[in-house]
Amino acid sequence: MQKLGDFKLPQFFNYPPYFTLQPVRDTREKQVQLWKELILDYCRNQKIFVIGIEEEFPLFTNQVIERFLSHEAKETFLSALVSEGRAEWMDKGHKRCLILWHRIQEWADIIMRFVKETGLEDSVMTIEEIRSGIESRGTELHGMDRTILTRALKLLEQKGKAAIFKGSSADDEGVKFSA
Amino acid sequence: MAGNWFPIAQLTSSGRPIFQPGEVESNLLSSIDIESEENPNFPVFKSGVLILTTHRIIWIDESKNNNSSSSSSTSSASAISIPLGAVTHIFSPKKSIKSMFASPRIRFQVSVSTAGKVEEKGSRSMVITLVFRGSKSDPDTFVTKFWEAWRARSWEVLSSEKSDSNEKNFGSVESSSGLRMAGVSGILRKEQETWESTDKSLQDAFQDLNALMGKAKEMVMLAEKMRLKLLSGPTGQPSTTDEEMGSKQDMQDWLLSVGIASPVTKESAGALYHQQLSRQLADFVKIPLERAGGMTALIDVYCLFNRARGTELISPEDLLQACAIWAKFDVPVMLRKFDSGVMVIQNKSHSDEEVFARIMALVLKPEALRLGVSASDAAMTLGIAPALAKEHLLTAETKGLLCRDVSAEGFRFYINLFKEIDLNDIHLYVTNPVETVWYVIVHIHRLLKLT
């Protein structure tokens, strides 16, 4: 089976029409669905949070059959993810796309579970600590995208489960969790 | 019954008269009645199309002809003919105050058999009146042309030529006894001879301009004779070699393009131009359609049709109009417009399903599963023009049978696997036979490439 890094590619990755945006509606719907699944799978597996539409992205090129996605196709597939709430455009020009293989709410739940498991309730952490600290090592939170993390924390704050403190710089923003 | 009074005229399936060899139409009129004032039992011939040819007057019952439900049995009685050879006298039209208000009438005398049926050299005679009901018809022009045709006596030239050629051909290409020993090569040799004599005729003709008029008719006869000979020649020759088959094919190609001896023209048909053109076209496209598998691009038909017409070319606009009128007649062909705008002529019986089945067979071949098919691949397999093949492929794509692959290698079509892939299980080996076949082929190919 073909692999991209340690990611196992599905069989249809070598099916040339998979890389051409299909004009017939039913066919395209199925094609878009397959691409959405594959993008989410790949990003989850490779811990990729942002796809730059103009930058090289391994999944959008198949060297074996010499096919690659057109700009229009990339935008179509990512837009489909956006409309489902599984991605967000980071700019108006649709150049960078934030991939949410966990929705913000799911990330918030993961953070709370982490806080409970490590007994960090009522203690203060910096946001940077959550992303790269010793405590989060080995969890999904380790190395996660700062934008997504901030968004998840804000969601928790709205629900009264966390309080964010502004620090002197972006690096030392702090957060206090409450059970 | 009409058949008791006049010889029946044979019509094609789209309602055009079948002409005799050398017969050319010279005038078409609509809304013509035929009457015979001296016969009280004379049947009703009302408001038909009248075609004056060099040999006959043909009258077609339009009401029966246009009726799409009419079977062959009734349509056989819907056209009658009066051989010009039976015409014994044409009366000059009466000019009177009364005639200015009534419909124009033209009278002529024909010879009839003792039973009362119109025929050449009949023992009795009958006066027939043509009544011009249509407001647009021009009786004076008709009378002039009628006189011309009657005086030219071209039907006699034909019958004498016929007996001539029968004598000359005895024992060579197609003797009446059925002794066809020479086959296609014989016909070709005969061709050569004909051409040589044609060449001589040409030289003669140019020596004497006065003789040219007479020779011109001979030329037409020669061409027509060649046609007939070639048509009837090769049948019943089982021992033809490949080479002969090839030349036979060539011959028939020429024949096809020699085509139309009496093209419908604006001059001859007048107001009936498009209608008659439409019928003639319907008859004409039958053979090209059959060869092209039931569908031909309109552009191809335009070229073939004009080539067959020779000098009396028609405009694309005329062709389109003629095709558009088909919807009103009971003809076996139709005009079809693809989504892309490409227009084709196809048999009404033509089915897309059959084409799809052939396309599916094509894309399921191992080579096509791996590399897809292009329009030209499909054109070669289906035996049709690439533009048409592409239309078929696109239609099959719209139906969800195929999907496209656009790359540096071009525009190719693959069997549609998208619907076969299970969304819940995209990483597992599939159990669907079509997809499995595809994977197996692709993997074998990769293994071969690696070794």
Side-chain angles (χ1 to χ4, degrees):
Chain A
M1 197 180 282
Q2 203 177 335
K3 281 188 175 186
L4 211 56
D6 57 354
F7 179 72
K8 281 180 188 170
L9 288 165
Q11 303 272 10
F12 57 76
F13 197 68
N14 285 335
Y15 178 49
Y18 188 57
F19 285 84
T20 298
L21 201 53
Q22 298 298 319
V24 179
R25 215 190 71 198
D26 286 357
T27 313
R28 182 193 284 223
E29 267 171 23
K30 187 67 181 277
Q31 183 191 23
V32 169
Q33 263 179 324
L34 290 173
W35 268 108
K36 282 192 307 202
E37 294 295 325
L38 186 65
I39 293 170
L40 288 180
D41 257 12
Y42 181 72
C43 290
R44 186 183 295 125
N45 183 280
Q46 302 288 306
K47 285 192 175 294
I48 293 168
F49 294 87
V50 175
I51 296 178
I53 208 162
E54 277 163 2
E55 293 151 31
E56 214 154 275
F57 189 63
L59 198 64
F60 292 162
T61 306
N62 186 341
Q63 305 288 357
V64 177
I65 57 167
E66 294 172 347
R67 294 291 187 280
F68 53 88
L69 286 184
S70 67
H71 187 277
E72 186 199 359
K74 288 183 205 168
E75 196 172 330
T76 305
F77 301 142
L78 291 175
S79 294
L81 281 175
V82 170
S83 68
E84 251 181 29
R86 304 309 300 263
E88 279 171 20
W89 291 114
M90 299 170 79
D91 53 348
K92 275 186 186 165
H94 290 191
K95 287 200 169 58
R96 288 164 62 78
C97 190
L98 195 63
I99 306 298
L100 300 169
W101 24 276
H102 288 313
R103 293 162 197 275
I104 300 293
Q105 176 62 55
E106 287 165 9
W107 279 116
D109 293 345
I110 292 167
I111 293 168
M112 282 317 287
R113 214 176 304 136
F114 162 76
V115 168
K116 274 177 196 155
E117 277 164 14
T118 48
L120 290 166
E121 295 116 317
D122 298 323
S123 58
V124 176
M125 291 179 83
T126 64
I127 289 177
E128 210 45 48
E129 261 180 316
I130 301 174
R131 285 183 68 228
S132 50
I134 308 162
E135 289 86 353
S136 70
R137 202 161 287 169
T139 71
E140 279 192 289
L141 297 178
H142 197 81
M144 79 178 280
D145 182 74
R146 197 185 166 91
T147 320
I148 296 175
L149 180 57
T150 316
R151 296 265 302 273
L153 290 173
K154 279 189 178 145
L155 186 71
L156 288 173
E157 192 180 35
Q158 277 168 24
K159 294 189 174 173
K161 292 183 178 174
I164 300 171
F165 307 102
K166 285 257 178 330
S168 53
S169 71
D171 279 350
D172 55 1
E173 264 182 324
V175 58
K176 186 188 175 198
F177 298 100
S178 52
Chain B
M1 265 314 288
N4 297 336
W5 293 84
F6 296 108
I8 298 295
Q10 296 296 319
L11 297 182
T12 66
S13 59
S14 52
R16 286 271 302 157
I18 297 173
F19 294 112
Q20 294 162 359
E23 186 176 10
V24 176
E25 31 179 355
S26 62
N27 203 353
L28 270 91
L29 297 163
S30 60
S31 307
I32 304 290
D33 298 354
I34 301 181
E35 290 174 1
S36 180
E37 285 152 10
E38 63 203 61
N39 289 305
N41 297 333
F42 198 74
V44 183
F45 296 106
K46 282 229 171 284
S47 193
V49 169
L50 188 106
I51 302 174
L52 174 70
T53 74
T54 48
H55 294 37
R56 292 178 293 174
I57 287 175
I58 300 165
W59 183 90
I60 303 170
D61 187 345
E62 275 301 276
S63 59
K64 277 185 193 163
N65 200 12
N66 277 345
N67 187 356
S68 54
S69 64
S70 70
S71 61
S72 55
S73 61
T74 58
S75 65
S76 67
S78 67
I80 54 136
S81 68
I82 302 168
L84 291 187
V87 176
T88 49
H89 184 68
I90 300 173
F91 298 100
S92 308
K94 283 179 206 158
K95 296 273 181 201
S96 67
I97 301 290
K98 193 186 158 201
S99 68
M100 288 181 69
F101 298 102
S103 301
R105 280 156 192 270
I106 286 170
R107 288 184 180 78
F108 57 93
Q109 196 176 45
V110 292
S111 66
V112 292
S113 67
T114 43
K117 186 170 175 172
V118 173
E119 63 174 32
E120 289 181 44
K121 299 178 183 113
S123 55
R124 290 163 52 196
S125 67
M126 170 169 82
V127 174
I128 289 176
T129 309
L130 301 178
V131 186
F132 294 71
R133 299 279 182 210
S135 53
K136 283 179 196 159
S137 52
D138 178 3
D140 294 336
T141 314
F142 175 75
V143 170
T144 316
K145 288 188 173 169
F146 190 16
W147 266 101
E148 275 170 13
W150 188 47
R151 281 212 191 114
R153 311 192 84 75
S154 24
W155 63 91
E156 286 179 355
V157 177
L158 175 83
S159 46
S160 65
E161 280 283 333
K162 241 184 208 164
S163 52
D164 258 20
S165 62
N166 274 351
E167 278 162 37
K168 268 189 287 179
N169 290 344
F170 186 79
S172 68
V173 177
E174 38 168 14
S175 74
S176 47
S177 63
L179 188 70
R180 289 178 183 168
M181 50 182 292
V184 175
S185 55
I187 294 166
L188 286 172
R189 200 166 56 232
K190 183 73 193 159
E191 269 296 301
Q192 184 64 37
E193 285 169 23
T194 319
W195 276 117
E196 277 165 15
S197 66
T198 310
D199 197 38
K200 238 177 101 189
S201 303
L202 267 173
Q203 285 175 359
D204 288 352
F206 281 109
Q207 277 166 11
D208 186 351
L209 268 178
N210 280 339
L212 186 61
M213 295 307 287
K215 290 286 178 192
K217 194 159 284 165
E218 218 169 288
M219 296 290 123
V220 176
M221 299 304 302
L222 268 171
E224 191 68 15
K225 237 165 66 187
M226 261 160 54
R227 246 166 63 92
L228 293 173
K229 206 153 289 168
L230 285 164
L231 267 178
S232 57
T235 51
Q237 280 290 327
S239 63
T240 44
T241 63
D242 281 353
E243 194 186 335
E244 280 180 329
M245 284 304 288
S247 56
K248 181 181 161 190
Q249 187 66 39
D250 283 349
M251 283 295 171
Q252 283 184 344
D253 282 348
W254 295 339
L255 268 183
L256 272 176
S257 49
V258 167
I260 303 166
S262 175
V264 173
T265 61
K266 269 188 176 136
E267 201 188 325
S268 71
L272 296 172
Y273 176 60
H274 282 119
Q275 198 213 60
Q276 291 296 318
L277 185 68
S278 170
R279 290 171 188 272
Q280 188 169 56
L281 180 61
D283 290 333
F284 173 79
V285 293
K286 250 178 241 164
I287 298 166
L289 269 186
E290 209 172 283
R291 304 170 119 219
M295 187 184 283
T296 314
L298 196 60
I299 293 175
D300 294 350
V301 172
Y302 180 72
C303 296
L304 286 171
F305 192 50
N306 263 339
R307 191 173 166 200
R309 289 174 66 92
T311 52
E312 300 291 344
L313 302 184
I314 62 163
S315 71
E317 187 61 31
D318 283 340
L319 182 79
L320 204 55
Q321 283 207 31
C323 293
I325 303 176
W326 281 342
K328 295 182 199 158
F329 301 141
D330 181 29
V331 292
V333 289
M334 59 182 277
L335 181 69
R336 175 177 176 185
K337 195 171 179 178
F338 282 104
D339 295 340
S340 64
V342 171
M343 285 192 277
V344 297
I345 289 172
Q346 68 174 37
N347 280 328
K348 273 184 182 159
S349 59
H350 179 92
S351 89
D352 277 353
E353 302 310 319
E354 195 192 312
V355 176
F356 291 157
R358 292 173 70 189
I359 289 177
M360 288 312 276
L362 175 63
V363 294
L364 281 170
K365 283 182 186 159
E367 187 70 10
L369 281 172
R370 192 162 56 75
L371 297 171
V373 293
S374 67
S376 48
D377 295 342
M380 271 200 275
T381 315
L382 301 175
I384 53 176
L388 269 192
K390 188 169 177 187
E391 293 304 327
H392 285 313
L393 290 169
L394 289 172
T395 315
E397 185 195 35
T398 314
K399 295 246 174 200
L401 298 172
L402 304 179
C403 49
R404 67 176 63 186
D405 164 40
V406 184
S407 71
E409 290 159 41
F411 193 162
R412 304 184 75 82
F413 288 90
Y414 285 74
I415 185 153
N416 186 354
L417 288 182
F418 286 111
K419 55 185 178 184
E420 320 282 348
I421 300 168
D422 186 359
L423 261 181
N424 298 323
D425 231 355
I426 58 173
H427 287 286
L428 287 184
Y429 272 96
V430 282
T431 48
N432 181 293
V434 174
E435 211 181 342
T436 312
V437 166
W438 186 72
Y439 288 143
V440 167
I441 303 264
V442 170
H443 281 286
I444 289 171
H445 176 70
R446 194 158 311 131
L447 286 174
L448 288 175
K449 222 176 179 178
L450 290 175
T451 53

